[in-house]
């Protein structure tokens, strides 16, 4: 139901609740629930917002603020314990740069950090503030405003956020660019489509063909191509003429002529091209790494690509050598100098010289993300082995086992830089949806602590097999250096050094989130 309230009434209804805090440093915070209500704690278990505030629902933090539902009213909750109270609004947006969006009677405006109206609700739609400005929509058109609500730019029917100093905007059927002084540049709005500027150049479409312009709007590559990928990975783009693809350097130099059925790349400086029904590889300088002779491939990773001829798999090196073709029934990528290989039903590892490092003997193995990995024996138990295949001294065999490392990419969703796909919360539920972090070798941090399952119960152990915490109902992965664990129905936190940071005392906890100072 919509509520008719004047702006003055809203202003009176808004208030800022300041909670008194002890003097303690906090690097991370987490929501913790006792009974029906949530509190906010830091990484040492100190209380920032008490459960007696009767917070019934919470959202993840974004830019230092989260949403908290008290009774039937939404609040903004800051990581230092402030609660910004709002009237009974239809929707509230994320709080960014001391401005939080809100909707009243179908129109949107902004709060400030004191819970006061900073910009009167009058817009059909709004976006969060970024670098002191926000896009807002009025009468079907978008324009930029500053934190006081002053208009900064002309109005446009569509827009993209600023990137590399320019934003793409559209009026009618024509796209163009504005700079950070909100002036139309690079030839004005006259293109059918355009892409972001990259190193002073941008793809634009005119007359159904794509070319490249500089920041003054001069063509440095005339409109020639029917489709382009945009510049990527060190100044290269995939381009299409008719049904055929090629590779173009930002300077206009042709790396591969437009005569191939498909192109994928670049990974580690090598792109794959399809000629007829077969795949080959080319480097960024245009040198052919390997001619088209493969039925299938996996991208280059750690200096090698997996390639297939018929039913046989092998490795292609960066220098174009083919290794181990058909010698194994399955192969995988190299990670820390070891690659998983399967012979018949059993898995083992090869080294970077393509020699057997660990004889295939396990039903399953994981990658060597750290100095050790997990292997499932023929007895149905998991063990930890080093890169020579020796079981780690002191460790036992387990029902399940996770490695001695943590994935730093998982921290991104709980950092000050996370970027939600959706940023609106309404009374019926949460609209936040975070990026799923990719699992990459570069994101791996070795630890001296791992999770294992012993006789149906979870535990954390050290590298020498010492039990750190046992008889656990749940043992979660480390996020920002802290892992949630449940013992006897209560949740707490373990730090990555194997110390209990917060004793198990809560009915539920969320992962630790970086404190945005």
């Amino acid at each position: 139901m919509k509520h008719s309230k004047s702006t003055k009434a809203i202003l009176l209804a808004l208030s800022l609740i300041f909670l008194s805090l002890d003097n303690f440093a906090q690097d991370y915070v987490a929501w913790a629930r006792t009974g029906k209500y949530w509190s906010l704690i830091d990484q040492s278990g100190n209380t920032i917002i008490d459960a007696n505030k009767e917070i019934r629902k919470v959202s993840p933090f974004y830019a230092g603020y989260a949403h908290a539902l008290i009774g039937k009213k939404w609040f903004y909750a800051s990581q230092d314990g402030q609660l910004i109270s709002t009237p009974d609004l239809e929707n509230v947006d994320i709080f960014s740069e001391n401005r939080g969006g809100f909707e009243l009677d179908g129109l949107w405006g902004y709060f400030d950090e004191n819970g006061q109206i900073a910009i009167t609700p009058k817009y059909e739609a709004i976006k969060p503030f970024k670098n002191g400005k926000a896009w807002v929509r009025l009468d079907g058109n978008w324009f930029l405003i500053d934190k006081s609500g002053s208009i900064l730019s002309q109005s446009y029917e569509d827009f993209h956020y600023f990137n590399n100093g320019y934003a793409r905007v559209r009026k009618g059927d024509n796209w163009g660019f504005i700079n950070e002084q909100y002036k139309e540049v690079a030839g004005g709005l006259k293109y059918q489509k355009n892409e972001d500027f990259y190193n002073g150049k941008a793809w634009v479409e005119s007359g159904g063909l794509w070319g490249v312009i500089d920041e003054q709007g001069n063509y440095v590559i005339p409109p020639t191509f029917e489709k382009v990928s945009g510049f990527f990975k060190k100044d290269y783009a995939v381009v299409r003429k008719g049904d055929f693809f090629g590779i173009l350097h930002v300077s206009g130099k042709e790396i591969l002529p437009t005569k191939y059925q498909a192109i994928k790349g670049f990974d580690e400086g090598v792109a794959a091209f399809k000629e007829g029904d077969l795949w080959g590889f080319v480097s960024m300088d245009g040198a052919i790494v390997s001619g088209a002779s493969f039925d299938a491939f996996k991208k280059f990773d750690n200096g090698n690509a997996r390639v297939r001829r018929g039913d046989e798999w092998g490795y292609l090196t960066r220098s174009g050598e083919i290794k181990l073709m058909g010698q194994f029934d399955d192969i995988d990528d190299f990670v820390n100098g070891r690659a998983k290989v399967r012979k018949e039903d059993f898995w083992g590892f090869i080294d970077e010289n393509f020699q057997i490092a660990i004889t295939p003997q396990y039903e399953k193995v994981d990658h060597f993300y750290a100095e050790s990995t997990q292997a499932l024996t023929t007895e149905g138990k998991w063990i930890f082995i080093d890169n020579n295949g020796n079981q780690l001294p002191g460790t036992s065999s387990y029902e399940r086992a996770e490695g001695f490392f943590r994935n730093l990419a998982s921290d991104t969703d709980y950092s000050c830089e996370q970027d939600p796909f959706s940023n609106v919360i309404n009374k019926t539920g949460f609209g936040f949806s975070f990026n799923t972090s990719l699992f990459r070798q570069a994101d791996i941090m070795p630890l001296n602590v791992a999770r294992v399952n012993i006789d149906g119960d979870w535990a954390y152990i050290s590298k020498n097999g010492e039990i750190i915490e046992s008889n656990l109902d749940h043992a979660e992965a480390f996020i920002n250096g802290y892992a949630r664990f449940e013992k006897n129905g209560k949740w707490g936190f373990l730090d990555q050094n194997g110390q209990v940071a917060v004793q198990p005392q809560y009915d539920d906890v969320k992962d630790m989130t970086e404190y945005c100072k």
Side-chain angles (χ1 to χ4, degrees):
M1 176 182 293
K2 296 183 179 179
H3 301 271
S4 178
K5 297 187 178 103
S6 68
T7 299
K8 181 177 180 181
I10 301 172
L11 192 59
L12 294 173
L14 295 168
S15 63
L16 179 64
I17 303 174
F18 290 95
L19 302 180
S20 59
L21 303 175
D22 296 328
N23 292 322
F24 59 83
Q26 56 210 45
D27 297 313
Y28 302 98
V29 298
W31 290 111
R33 180 173 60 81
T34 303
K36 297 188 298 183
Y37 302 124
W38 292 89
S39 59
L40 185 66
I41 61 173
D42 72 358
Q43 75 274 9
S44 300
N46 298 303
T47 300
I48 302 171
I49 299 178
D50 288 324
N52 62 17
K53 297 299 179 184
E54 298 188 352
I55 298 174
R56 297 194 296 115
K57 289 184 179 180
V58 294
S59 79
F61 281 94
Y62 174 73
Y65 290 86
H67 295 84
L69 184 65
I70 300 177
K72 295 182 179 181
K73 182 184 293 188
W74 286 107
F75 288 72
Y76 289 110
S78 71
Q79 291 177 321
D80 61 0
Q82 300 176 21
L83 290 172
I84 301 175
S85 175
T86 71
D88 190 14
L89 302 174
E90 299 161 27
N91 288 306
V92 287
D93 201 355
I94 61 175
F95 202 93
S96 176
E97 298 188 1
N98 293 328
R99 293 292 182 269
F102 69 95
E103 184 184 18
L104 184 70
D105 295 334
L107 297 176
W108 288 84
Y110 293 90
F111 297 110
D112 65 16
E113 71 275 21
N114 297 313
Q116 304 297 307
I117 289 182
I119 301 173
T120 302
K122 59 184 177 181
Y123 303 110
E124 298 155 0
I126 61 173
K127 299 295 181 181
F129 271 89
K130 185 176 182 180
N131 297 324
K133 51 185 175 285
W135 287 97
V136 296
R137 192 180 73 203
L138 186 63
D139 297 329
N141 290 311
W142 292 90
F143 53 91
L144 285 162
I145 61 171
D146 65 17
K147 288 186 177 181
S148 68
S150 297
I151 296 174
L152 300 174
S153 72
Q154 297 183 45
S155 59
Y156 300 96
E157 294 174 38
D158 201 357
F159 74 95
H160 291 268
Y161 286 103
F162 278 88
N163 188 21
N164 295 323
Y166 299 92
R168 291 182 281 152
V169 293
R170 178 178 64 82
K171 285 184 178 180
D173 295 329
N174 296 321
W175 284 88
F177 301 89
I178 59 173
N179 62 18
E180 291 182 327
Q181 289 72 49
Y182 321 114
K183 304 295 185 183
E184 295 177 3
V185 294
L189 277 64
K190 63 179 183 180
Y191 307 108
Q192 291 172 279
K193 294 179 183 177
N194 58 357
E195 298 291 340
D196 288 326
F197 269 94
Y198 173 83
N199 285 348
K201 298 181 177 66
W203 284 102
V204 295
E205 184 184 11
S206 181
L209 297 175
W210 289 84
V212 177
I213 60 169
D214 61 20
E215 291 172 304
Q216 288 71 48
N218 302 311
Y219 277 102
V220 294
I221 299 175
T224 310
F225 305 103
E226 296 172 20
K227 188 175 181 179
V228 297
S229 68
F231 292 116
F232 65 100
K233 293 188 179 180
K234 298 185 178 180
D235 301 339
Y236 295 85
V238 175
V239 295
R240 177 170 67 83
K241 287 183 179 179
D243 294 329
F244 298 99
F245 295 84
I247 298 176
L248 191 73
H249 187 262
V250 67
S251 65
K253 177 185 176 182
E254 184 179 73
I255 303 301
L256 275 184
T258 50
K259 68 175 187 178
Y260 299 99
Q261 280 71 31
I263 290 177
K264 295 182 180 180
F266 282 96
D267 294 295
E268 298 190 353
V270 180
F273 60 87
K274 190 174 186 181
E275 192 170 17
D277 294 327
L278 300 175
W279 290 91
F281 296 87
V282 62
S283 65
M284 288 191 294
D285 60 4
I288 299 296
V289 175
S290 180
S293 63
F294 304 108
D295 295 297
F297 73 96
K298 302 293 182 181
K299 68 177 184 177
F300 266 82
D301 189 56
N302 289 308
N304 302 285
R306 289 180 280 157
V307 291
R308 179 172 63 82
R309 286 175 175 165
D311 295 329
E312 296 182 342
W313 283 90
Y315 293 94
L316 178 70
T317 69
R318 183 65 175 77
S319 61
E321 294 182 85
I322 298 172
K323 300 288 187 179
L324 303 180
M325 181 64 72
Q327 294 190 29
F328 294 98
D329 297 303
D330 200 355
I331 60 176
D332 213 324
D333 290 328
F334 280 88
V335 177
N336 280 330
R338 295 289 184 268
K340 297 161 46 177
V341 294
R342 180 173 61 83
K343 192 73 171 176
E344 295 181 346
D345 294 330
F346 299 108
W347 287 89
F349 291 88
I350 59 171
D351 62 23
E352 290 178 308
N353 295 316
F354 303 99
Q355 302 297 313
I356 293 289
I358 301 174
T359 302
Q361 58 188 291
Y362 300 107
E363 293 189 4
K364 292 181 181 179
V365 291
D366 199 358
H367 291 292
F368 271 97
Y369 286 115
E371 295 176 352
S372 63
T373 191
Q374 312 88 264
L376 180 63
T377 67
T378 54
E379 288 78 28
K381 296 284 189 176
W382 288 89
I383 61 173
F384 291 98
I385 58 173
D386 65 21
N387 58 16
N388 293 314
N390 301 310
Q391 185 171 352
L392 294 190
T395 61
S396 184
S397 56
Y398 309 97
E399 272 67 42
R400 291 180 62 184
E402 303 291 339
F404 286 96
F405 63 88
R406 74 181 181 94
N407 182 12
L408 297 177
S410 298
D411 298 351
T412 305
D413 291 345
Y414 304 92
S415 72
C416 297
E417 286 77 38
Q418 86 272 32
D419 185 18
F421 285 112
S422 170
N423 51 33
V424 174
I425 284 183
N426 57 45
K427 293 180 181 178
T428 61
F430 295 91
F432 277 85
S433 177
F434 289 103
N435 290 305
T436 301
S437 301
L438 297 176
F439 201 76
R440 302 180 305 147
Q441 182 182 349
D443 296 324
I444 299 304
M445 176 181 179
L447 295 179
N448 292 317
V449 181
R451 296 179 288 164
V452 296
N453 190 284
I454 304 173
D455 297 328
D457 291 327
W458 284 95
Y460 292 96
I461 64 169
S462 67
K463 271 190 177 180
N464 61 13
E466 178 185 356
I467 300 293
I468 297 172
E469 282 289 327
S470 62
N471 300 316
L472 304 179
D473 305 316
H474 292 92
E476 303 297 332
F478 287 93
I479 303 292
N480 283 319
Y482 295 87
R484 299 180 292 128
F485 70 90
E486 183 185 16
K487 189 170 188 175
N488 298 323
K490 297 295 182 181
W491 287 86
F493 286 93
L494 187 79
D495 69 26
Q496 65 185 25
N497 297 315
Q499 302 297 316
V500 174
V502 179
Q503 291 293 333
Q505 57 187 294
Y506 299 102
D507 295 313
D508 195 7
V509 292
K510 306 293 186 183
D511 283 306
M512 285 284 175
T513 298
E514 183 182 8
Y515 182 80
C516 302
K517 299 177 177 62

